[in-house]
Amino acid sequence: MRIRASVAAVTGALALSAFAVPAAHAATHPVAPAEASAASKVLHASHGVKGFGVKAKGTPYTMDVTFSKVNVKSGKNIVVGTTNLVRVPVSYTLTHGVDVDIDAPDFVTGLALYRGTAFDYAENEIDSDEAVCTASSATVASCKATIEIDPIFLFNEDAATWKTAAFAVAFNGQDPFEPQDPSKIGVAVKDKAASNKLQRYSRQTVNASPEPVKKGKTITVTGALTRANWDDSRYHGYTSQSVKLQFKKKGASAYTTLKTVKTDSKGNLKTTVKASADGYFRYSFAGTSTTPAIDSTADFVDVK
């Protein structure tokens, strides 16, 4: 799943092309379609790129396939922690010419989620599993697949906006791993078909004390804001972030913001307020482009 070097450096003269297919990385991501990976090798080799292990000459042809209504988690942010796999549902409409057999055993289609300026220049990429397509007419099909994200393959720099490319490959009887004639392989791709933010999972805690407390006395409210660190698979404090201290009086339906507190160099929070009534305290973080918003659980304080 992980591509550390720029694809631009790997592909050299290979420019943005209608023949682009997912980069070869199935070995490190078990659900990535092996056939698409093999087709990528054929493509790069056919453009004179070295190091892909494909000796056959020839250029894949542009297949009569287009993509529309590409949906990756309905455009919502994708939040990933440090250990759990995140499965993202994807769907799209595939329209094809009458000469394209999408039911052929060696026809492969799916989506590639990537970070970078364009598909050919992805800095990191994750392929979906092979999509299951259901025909709605002789030339239109609705396709569904899943993109599985394992945080072990992510770096903190991957917390950014990721784009989506939809692709299809028809091997047409050619061996996906050792094609004799790549010119018989059909390929189609739609770059930048969708976009989503990939974010680092956040945690927020709160503790108000003492409990109980006399009315008018000082309550100290502490807490910590942490987020997933994909570089070492741990949680670290999110420093210098503005977090709201909120209070909800017992019996009330909504929280009121009391003040805004900044996290320290370790992500910790600490402030004081005067006890006025029984109620619930919480810290509320609005989120950033790389980290989702989160509210702590409520901490009840009994005021005597």
Side-chain angles (χ1 to χ4, degrees), residues 75-265:
K76 297 179 181 178
N77 298 340
I78 302 169
V79 182
V80 182
T82 60
T83 56
N84 294 335
L85 294 177
V86 175
R87 294 175 175 84
V88 181
V90 301
S91 63
Y92 54 97
T93 297
L94 185 152
T95 303
H96 60 91
V98 294
D99 59 330
V100 177
D101 183 7
I102 67 171
D103 294 320
D106 57 358
F107 180 91
V108 180
T109 182
L111 297 184
L113 190 67
Y114 71 90
R115 178 175 64 84
T117 57
F119 189 36
D120 277 345
Y121 303 97
E123 297 176 41
N124 201 350
E125 181 185 330
I126 309 168
D127 290 345
S128 72
D129 56 3
E130 187 174 341
V132 175
C133 297
T134 303
S136 57
S137 73
T139 57
V140 179
S142 297
C143 302
K144 294 183 179 180
T146 301
I147 295 176
E148 186 176 272
I149 303 174
D150 189 337
I152 196 172
F153 294 106
L154 297 175
F155 289 111
N156 288 340
E157 66 192 33
D158 289 323
T161 297
W162 285 52
K163 303 176 183 67
T164 299
F167 65 87
V169 181
F171 289 100
N172 297 319
Q174 292 292 306
D175 185 331
F177 304 99
E178 292 187 13
Q180 298 302 305
D181 187 357
S183 67
K184 293 182 178 180
I185 298 175
V187 182
V189 66
K190 180 179 181 179
D191 195 8
K192 301 178 183 179
S195 64
N196 301 74
K197 286 182 180 178
L198 190 64
Q199 295 184 314
R200 297 160 61 179
Y201 190 89
S202 56
R203 294 173 174 173
Q204 178 72 71
T205 62
V206 68
N207 182 55
S209 63
E211 303 174 48
V213 63
K214 290 184 179 181
K215 187 173 183 178
K217 294 297 183 180
T218 297
I219 297 175
T220 300
V221 187
T222 59
L225 175 63
T226 58
R227 62 174 177 167
N229 186 312
W230 295 330
D231 290 346
D232 63 10
S233 299
R234 298 179 180 180
Y235 280 84
H236 294 275
Y238 198 5
T239 65
S240 302
Q241 297 301 307
S242 295
V243 180
K244 293 178 180 179
L245 174 64
Q246 298 182 326
F247 179 75
K248 183 174 70 173
K249 189 175 181 180
K250 184 178 179 181
S253 59
Y255 279 90
T256 299
T257 297
L258 301 180
K259 61 173 69 175
T260 299
V261 186
K262 270 203 170 185
T263 57
D264 65 14
S265 61

